[in-house]
Amino acid sequence: MLRLLAAFFLGLTVLTGAGPVFAQASPAKPASGHGPIHALHITVELVPVSNSIQPGGSAEVGLHMVMDKGWHVYWSNAGDSGEPPQVAWKLPKGITADAMQFPAPERISYGPLMDYGYPDEVVFPIALHAAVGLKAGATEPLGARVNWLVCREECIPGKADFVLPMKVTSQPPTTDAAAAALLQRFQAQLPQPLPPGSKALFQPTPSGFTFALLGSHAGQPASSAEFFPLDQMLISNPAPQTVRESGGNLLIALKKDENLSTAPANLRGVLRFADGVSYQVDAVPGEFAGANFAASPAAGGGQVAATSSETLSHLLRIGVLAFFGGMVLNLMPCVFPVLFLKGLALVGSSGESRRRLRAHGAVYTLGILVSFWAIVAVLLVLRAGGHRLGWGFQFQSPSFLAVIALLFFFLGLSLAGMFDIGLSLTSKGSGLADQGGYGGSFFTGVLAMVVATPCTAPFMGVAVGFALAQPAVIAFAVFTALGLGLAAPFVLLTLHPAWTRLLPRPGAWMEILKQGTAVILFAVAIWMVWLFATAAGVNALSAGLLPGFLLLAIAGWILGRWPARLGASAAALVVIAAAIALPLVAVRSFPAAPSGQMDAANAGGEDWQPFSDAVLQKYRAENRPVFIDFTASWCLSCQVNERVVLDRADVRQRLKDSGIVLLRADWTRHDDAITQALSQLGRSGVPTYVLYPSGGPARVLPEVLTPGIVFNALQGVNASRTDTRAAQGQVTEGAGSGKS
């Protein structure tokens, strides 16, 4: 009966999960000349060498992008992830634009991935042409919509509309010297044709290809060569490239992409050397000496080879953070009731054999891991479908909250003595009884994971944000470390049975403790009821969840009145099904108020304003420092931080004296803007606390706050504000002159 009921409840939690939260791209900026336009972590502008063009002549324009430190945009082949910038022109009749040219890229490693792109700054040259018969004297507006993706650990899409006035004149155009110098600097980085007498060939090898540049390579040192493929899914981008010279020829061993089944007809790409010189290559199959050598991390390509050890080190750090985050979750109030139940079971089994205790620990761990893997699989599948979800997303679903509230209430009835959900197993023999005990350990692990997800423990936020942005293998590895951390304290106790001797022996006192534990579970159920009412409304509560509690009480009475009887168990299951169905139907029948109303209600009084991206950008444009509290009603860690720290009189006064704008992002119900804002910060759950100094980059504070952490973060905010205002004034003045 225990296994049947647990599977029934927990299966429904999966079926009633929250709906998808969709990612939203950055909105288009209004037409504002040719820039610059300042967006998140990037400044974009069109840089014309001249504002005029002759009939039958040409003009040069550069798409200029300047990124914040650590951020980058992408080459035409972005590598393992990303998208290159794109320009869509809206041109008058008689004027055409060539394709955007891409300077030679750099390798940008991130975890096990390798991207190709441009950190810091880049200019993409574009040539414009005027028809011979174009009439002189008119000024033609050239429209351009630019799309980009700027990335660090997270990626932010953006787009902007530009209007570039271009005068058609019969006179030679006047050149802007500064714009010409900027364009020339990056035109020098464009790949050039191969030197005369050089030839590019390649030969397949068991592991990939050997690329060869035969003849002169302009005196460039062979050890500094790097090959960038123009076509995707030909080579393994993160694999080391081994470079050597043989008889005056340059050879590079390339590992093929794991999905490549047949050799390509040619190998197109860019060959780049350390000093920035680069060549366009279109290698064809051919014979040459020394082709059969393999890529080796120890030979050549030192910078590329080093990435494997850096990747392993980075993954280990993330894994350690996830493991300790899982351990700290055991101290969170979200998990306490479940651990209390497991503690009771451990006390009852303290006299069992070492083998059985260890088996219980292993099964408990398996329950945690399986449930973690299931949730991560759902997140990754929905992410692949274009949805964006955050950690703890299921607590944004009223249906899920209803099922969990009913589950805790039902368990509370059992612990209070109304019925014994394990009594029906007594007649099944010792084998089934043992199996039932392991089933209890498994589902206790599942329940521990389910109720732990609303809280983001210390160390856990970075790990979860990293994992959900990674390929499936890495995501599962990180969450496995998280699950092992959550299971570790109980497993350690089962691995050292001598420690159980410190626990009191089973006796009559356990019934009193069980009844006391029932009070805790009823309190959790009440908390879930409050969350349900907040998310679904009073009508759904009155018509659905409250009658569901009454039906569960009836089901408990049936199980207690006729224990271990098949007919009674079947009748109880029917009543339980009705109890669960009522709130699920009520949620759909009585729509709750829009989330914006709830956000305003929960914004937190006169000191706090509801969060929106428009409000944040407004205050950022005014050079005002901003503090954002990403929170949710179902997150107990959030509520503790707010009551103990943020609502303290001295903390509130310090925030007020610092002139900081306080925004509260309420994620109790799913909100696309809040989910996207968290993703941009590299986080996937709450609590998250972010301080934006005036004009400076975001500073993410720890998940567990203290007054000292807040005070330290506020130091220098006003000074930073003053310095940034002066700098912004200079930038604005310069930008204005550029437009004129």
Side-chain angles (χ1 to χ4, degrees):
M1 186 68 187
L2 170 62
R3 287 175 291 151
L4 185 60
L5 291 174
F8 190 71
F9 272 109
L10 292 170
L12 281 170
T13 64
V14 176
L15 295 176
T16 59
V21 182
F22 293 92
Q24 298 177 345
S26 302
K29 305 290 184 181
S32 56
H34 54 80
I37 284 181
H38 302 283
L40 288 172
H41 303 293
I42 190 171
T43 299
V44 183
E45 64 177 327
L46 287 178
V47 180
V49 174
S50 174
N51 289 323
S52 61
I53 190 171
Q54 292 179 297
S58 300
E60 292 182 326
V61 176
L63 176 59
H64 186 204
M65 294 183 165
V66 179
M67 287 69 70
D68 290 351
K69 184 176 178 59
W71 293 77
H72 64 271
V73 294
Y74 291 95
W75 187 46
S76 56
N77 174 10
D80 287 326
S81 63
E83 291 289 337
Q86 298 176 346
V87 179
W89 289 97
K90 187 176 182 181
L91 300 173
K93 186 176 181 180
I95 295 182
T96 59
D98 288 348
M100 187 169 67
Q101 300 181 74
F102 288 82
E106 297 181 21
R107 292 179 178 271
I108 302 171
S109 64
Y110 179 62
L113 306 180
M114 180 69 71
D115 294 341
Y116 304 140
Y118 312 94
D120 302 327
E121 181 184 21
V122 66
V123 173
F124 303 98
I126 305 168
L128 302 175
H129 305 284
V132 175
L134 194 62
K135 185 178 180 180
T139 299
E140 302 288 357
L142 312 183
R145 167 160 288 191
V146 178
N147 292 270
W148 66 83
L149 187 68
V150 60
C151 297
R152 191 174 61 179
E153 284 84 1
E154 64 271 15
C155 290
I156 304 173
K159 56 186 176 181
D161 292 328
F162 296 93
V163 176
L164 182 63
M166 186 65 66
K167 184 177 181 180
V168 182
T169 176
S170 58
Q171 302 298 320
T174 302
T175 300
D176 184 326
L182 178 65
L183 236 66
Q184 288 172 4
R185 178 157 61 93
F186 285 91
Q187 283 174 334
Q189 301 176 27
L190 294 174
Q192 303 300 312
L194 283 173
S198 297
K199 186 177 181 180
L201 301 175
F202 79 95
Q203 285 187 26
T205 65
S207 61
F209 315 100
T210 297
F211 169 88
L213 180 59
L214 307 182
S216 170
H217 43 276
Q220 300 295 328
S223 60
S224 68
E226 293 178 313
F227 177 79
F228 297 86
L230 279 174
D231 301 308
Q232 294 185 334
M233 300 182 69
L234 283 182
I235 72 169
S236 173
N237 299 312
Q241 295 183 6
T242 305
V243 185
R244 69 181 178 91
E245 268 189 297
S246 177
N249 300 325
L250 183 148
L251 306 180
I252 304 179
L254 304 171
K255 183 180 179 181
K256 67 179 180 180
D257 185 275
E258 60 182 10
N259 297 309
L260 186 67
S261 56
T262 59
N266 58 352
L267 201 59
R268 304 185 308 137
V270 169
L271 188 63
R272 184 178 185 272
F273 294 91
D275 63 353
V277 174
S278 59
Y279 299 110
Q280 300 173 359
V281 294
D282 190 352
V284 296
E287 298 294 330
F288 51 89
N292 294 317
F293 77 103
S296 170
Q303 181 178 358
V304 180
T307 59
S308 59
S309 61
E310 294 173 359
T311 296
L312 180 59
S313 176
H314 188 57
L315 288 176
L316 287 175
R317 288 197 300 270
I318 292 295
V320 170
L321 286 175
F323 181 82
F324 281 104
M327 289 190 67
V328 176
L329 272 179
N330 289 279
L331 304 177
M332 294 293 162
C334 327
V335 191
F336 176 74
V338 176
L339 293 183
F340 212 84
L341 285 174
K342 198 59 196 169
L344 282 176
L346 189 62
V347 168
S349 61
S350 59
E352 293 184 359
S353 68
R354 176 177 299 186
R355 182 185 62 83
R356 280 183 53 81
L357 284 176
R358 290 178 175 176
H360 277 290
V363 172
Y364 173 73
T365 303
L366 182 63
I368 290 177
L369 292 179
V370 168
S371 51
F372 263 117
W373 294 336
I375 289 291
V376 175
V378 170
L379 287 169
L380 293 178
V381 168
L382 292 176
R383 185 187 71 179
H387 308 323
R388 177 166 294 182
L389 295 169
W391 190 242
F393 72 96
Q394 67 272 26
F395 276 80
Q396 297 171 337
S397 166
S399 299
F400 177 85
L401 292 171
V403 171
I404 292 297
L406 293 170
L407 174 59
F408 274 103
F409 180 73
F410 193 72
L411 291 175
L413 292 177
S414 175
L415 291 177
M418 189 175 192
F419 63 95
D420 186 351
I421 58 178
L423 189 58
S424 60
L425 296 172
T426 56
S427 62
K428 305 297 183 182
S430 60
L432 288 179
D434 292 344
Q435 186 177 355
Y438 292 136
S441 294
F442 180 85
F443 284 112
T444 303
V446 173
L447 191 58
M449 177 272 164
V450 169
V451 299
T453 51
C455 297
T456 304
F459 317 115
M460 184 175 157
V462 174
V464 169
F466 169 83
L468 293 181
Q470 299 307 304
V473 173
I474 298 176
F476 277 101
V478 172
F479 279 95
T480 298
L482 183 61
L484 292 175
L486 179 60
F490 180 78
V491 171
L492 284 176
L493 196 57
T494 59
L495 291 177
H496 296 81
W499 295 354
T500 61
R501 296 171 185 170
L502 302 176
L503 300 174
R505 293 299 175 188
W509 63 271
M510 289 185 61
E511 285 299 317
I512 300 175
L513 187 58
K514 284 175 58 178
Q515 294 168 6
T517 305
V519 175
I520 299 175
L521 295 184
F522 288 141
V524 175
I526 292 172
W527 173 51
M528 293 289 178
V529 169
W530 175 67
L531 296 180
F532 177 86
T534 302
V538 177
N539 291 333
L541 175 67
S542 302
L545 188 56
L546 295 183
F549 284 132
L550 177 60
L551 289 177
L552 278 189
I554 294 173
W557 173 78
I558 293 173
L559 292 174
R561 178 65 179 81
W562 295 283
R565 294 188 182 181
L566 182 61
S569 298
L573 280 177
V574 172
V575 176
I576 291 171
I580 294 174
L582 276 177
L584 301 186
V585 172
V587 166
R588 291 161 176 77
S589 303
F590 301 99
S595 60
Q597 298 178 19
M598 183 195 65
D599 291 342
N602 294 341
E606 60 182 11
D607 293 338
W608 295 86
Q609 302 178 41
F611 167 85
S612 72
D613 184 66
V615 171
L616 173 61
Q617 297 306 324
K618 169 181 176 291
Y619 287 118
R620 295 279 285 160
E622 296 174 358
N623 300 318
R624 297 277 302 276
V626 179
F627 181 84
I628 306 178
D629 171 17
F630 290 90
T631 184
S633 299
W634 38 260
C635 173
L636 287 181
S637 301
C638 304
Q639 305 306 315
V640 171
N641 283 335
E642 289 166 15
R643 302 297 186 273
V644 175
V645 179
L646 295 180
D647 289 346
R648 274 181 45 151
D650 55 341
V651 174
R652 293 176 61 183
Q653 187 62 44
R654 183 67 175 272
L655 290 169
K656 184 176 181 180
D657 294 342
S658 298
I660 287 181
V661 177
L662 302 178
L663 302 181
R664 182 156 282 163
D666 193 325
W667 209 40
T668 301
R669 290 169 58 194
H670 80 76
D671 185 296
D672 294 349
I674 294 176
T675 305
Q676 185 173 0
L678 284 168
S679 177
Q680 291 169 0
L681 295 165
R683 296 300 177 94
S684 295
V686 291
T688 295
Y689 305 99
V690 185
L691 175 64
Y692 288 92
S694 300
R699 293 179 55 191
V700 181
L701 276 58
E703 289 89 344
V704 175
L705 290 182
T706 64
I709 289 174
V710 177
F711 293 156
N712 290 335
L714 296 180
Q715 289 182 358
V717 166
N718 290 329
S720 171
R721 183 179 177 188
T722 302
D723 295 342
T724 306
R725 278 182 170 173
Q728 289 282 349
Q730 296 174 5
V731 171
T732 304
E733 186 176 336
S737 61
K739 290 181 183 179
S740 61

